[in-house]
Amino acid sequence: YLTKSRGLPIGTMTVFAAATYAVQAMASLGWGHLADHMVARGGDPARVKRGLCVVAQLGSVAGVAGIALAGSTSALLVALLVTGVFLGCLPTMVYALGQIAAGPRDAAGWIGVQNAIGSLSGIVGPVVT
């Protein structure tokens, strides 16, 4: 997308993609600490994590819209980074929610199911599109 549709050179696309993933990784740490802080202050663990997932989904939608609407290369980078921040939340919270819902005895099995479904969507998505 960045090279064919947006006309970025491969080098620029590489830097933009790496920056987006770096921000996503750092954001995962931040979202995890935020969730722990909210729970430590009395929040229900499942409710806190579900709420953060909603925030992250909305932020991701805004970020993707920003990517599509970006009129300049710098605006495109900002939109990619914003998207990375919000996408950093989702795997963190979904993984935690699976453990909360399954409980200690069944957590590994349920996380395995979550990961399998995620992998299948990675196969089916490109075929369908």
Side-chain angles (χ1 to χ4, degrees), residues 11-37:
T12 304
M13 181 273 305
T14 302
V15 170
F16 280 25
T20 302
Y21 282 116
V23 166
Q24 183 175 344
M26 296 304 294
S28 292
L29 296 171
W31 287 107
H33 285 293
L34 175 62
D36 287 345
H37 176 73

Side-chain angles (χ1 to χ4, degrees), residues 18 62 68 85:
V85 166

Side-chain angles (χ1 to χ4, degrees), residues 11-87:
T12 304
M13 181 273 305
T14 302
V15 170
F16 280 25
T20 302
Y21 282 116
V23 166
Q24 183 175 344
M26 296 304 294
S28 292
L29 296 171
W31 287 107
H33 285 293
L34 175 62
D36 287 345
H37 176 73
M38 293 171 75
V39 170
R41 294 198 57 174
D44 174 65
R47 176 170 273 172
V48 164
K49 288 165 181 70
R50 284 191 310 263
L52 290 175
C53 282
V54 170
V55 169
Q57 287 286 7
L58 294 172
S60 297
V61 167
V64 170
I67 292 167
L69 299 173
S72 68
T73 303
S74 58
L76 177 61
L77 176 60
V78 169
L80 285 164
L81 296 177
V82 166
T83 304
V85 166
F86 287 105
L87 288 179

